[in-house]
């Protein structure tokens, strides 16, 4: 049984004593001359977003619920038609909010407000700016987004975890060497990750209807995914 102390190393680790009873009693038991090392590390991987999502909607005021709804429906149908004309498929447009409410404050007190908001999925990021411009030209006056994302993140997540494990194993090897030991086997691997894509700026505003504004630039940039892995390694004599 050996206890190894490594002062001055800036690595997160926990060293524990081996079992005091002689011999091995199971796959996770330690022998007399073995030491348990627990170490964690993070890894990261980058990917370029390949889709953009944004919300576009119409808010209309009317003297009663019917008038507000009628005006709102006409403008919202124009927004949907503009998106369809750009080639956005029906399955990529989803209604997210549909409300009619009486206003009890402000300059429109006692009138009614109708809202209809859809979420739009653009499968080509470069076309997102044109789609946003088309919706405002068609009458959308409520807009939020875009949210840029990777449609299939399994590959980038796997790469981040692989990098995290390699970093943890390299750290374990370095600590073992510093103590004149070696890694004999890995007992366990634990996921300590919270996938953290790089933040994307979100814009939300009420856009006045204008005549043919220039499409806003939408740049895909790069998302960074971070994964964390903890391992239990058994150290033994070199």
């Amino acid at each position: 049984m050996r206890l190894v102390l490594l002062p001055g190393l800036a690595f997160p680790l926990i060293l524990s004593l081996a079992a005091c009873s002689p011999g091995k009693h199971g796959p996770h038991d330690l022998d007399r001359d073995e030491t348990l090392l627990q170490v964690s590390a993070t890894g990261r991987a980058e990917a370029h977003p390949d889709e953009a999502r944004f919300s576009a909607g119409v808010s209309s005021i009317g003297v009663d619920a019917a008038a507000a709804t009628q005006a709102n429906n006409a403008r919202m149908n124009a927004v949907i038609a503009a998106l369809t004309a750009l080639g956005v498929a029906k399955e990529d447009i989803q209604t997210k909010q549909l409300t009619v409410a009486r206003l009890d404050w402000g300059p429109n007190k006692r009138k009614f407000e109708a809202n209809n908001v859809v979420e739009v999925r653009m499968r080509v990021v470069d076309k997102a700016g044109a789609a946003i411009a088309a919706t405002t030209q068609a009458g959308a006056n409520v807009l939020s987004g875009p949210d840029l994302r990777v449609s299939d993140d399994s590959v980038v997540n796997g790469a981040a975890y692989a990098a995290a494990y390699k970093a943890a194993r390299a750290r374990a090897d370095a600590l073992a060497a510093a103590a004149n030991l070696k890694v004999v086997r890995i007992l366990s691997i634990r996921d300590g990750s919270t996938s953290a894509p790089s933040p994307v700026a979100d814009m939300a505003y009420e856009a006045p209807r204008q005549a043919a504004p220039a499409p806003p630039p939408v740049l895909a940039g790069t998302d960074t995914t971070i994964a964390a892995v903890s391992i239990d390694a058994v150290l033994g004599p070199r």
Side-chain angles (χ1 to χ4, degrees):
M1 177 178 64
R2 302 178 62 187
L3 175 63
V4 180
L5 300 178
L6 301 173
L9 291 177
F11 296 112
L13 68 133
I14 301 174
L15 291 170
S16 64
L17 290 175
C20 294
S21 56
K24 298 179 181 178
H25 303 280
H28 290 176
D29 292 334
L30 303 180
D31 207 347
R32 284 178 171 273
D33 58 353
E34 292 181 338
T35 303
L36 177 65
L37 170 66
Q38 296 178 329
V39 64
S40 300
T42 59
R44 61 181 61 215
E46 295 184 343
H48 298 292
D50 56 3
E51 73 173 36
R53 301 192 183 210
F54 68 93
S55 295
V58 175
S59 176
S60 302
I61 304 295
V63 294
D64 54 30
T69 300
Q70 183 177 0
N72 209 69
N73 289 349
R75 294 172 66 185
M76 197 65 200
N77 284 331
V79 170
I80 300 301
L83 290 170
T84 302
L86 279 178
V88 180
K90 183 179 296 185
E91 58 266 25
D92 290 333
I93 305 174
Q94 184 179 54
T95 299
K96 305 300 288 186
Q97 181 184 15
L98 188 60
T99 62
V100 180
R102 176 175 168 169
L103 301 175
D104 293 324
W105 61 87
N108 293 312
K109 185 176 181 179
R110 296 190 180 89
K111 292 184 179 181
F112 286 77
E113 180 182 22
N115 289 280
N116 192 338
V117 179
V118 297
E119 183 181 73
V120 183
R121 179 186 184 186
M122 299 300 299
R123 297 176 185 267
V124 179
V125 174
D126 291 344
K127 293 184 178 180
I132 292 171
T135 60
T136 56
Q137 292 172 32
N141 58 2
V142 178
L143 183 70
S144 67
D147 175 18
L148 305 178
R149 61 181 70 179
V150 178
S151 56
D152 181 7
D153 60 0
S154 59
V155 175
V156 66
N157 284 341
Y161 278 113
Y165 175 78
K166 289 179 181 178
R169 178 56 195 261
R171 183 170 292 180
D173 288 334
L175 290 169
N180 197 30
L181 299 172
K182 68 179 180 179
V183 175
V184 177
R185 63 186 182 276
I186 302 297
L187 287 182
S188 65
I189 304 172
R190 296 181 301 279
D191 178 9
S193 172
T194 52
S195 184
S198 56
V200 178
D202 180 75
M203 57 181 180
Y205 60 89
E206 290 194 0
R209 190 173 182 178
Q210 298 179 355
V218 176
L219 307 178
T222 302
D223 278 356
T224 300
T225 297
I226 300 175
V229 168
S230 297
I231 64 174
D232 291 349
V234 176
L235 308 186
R238 296 180 66 87

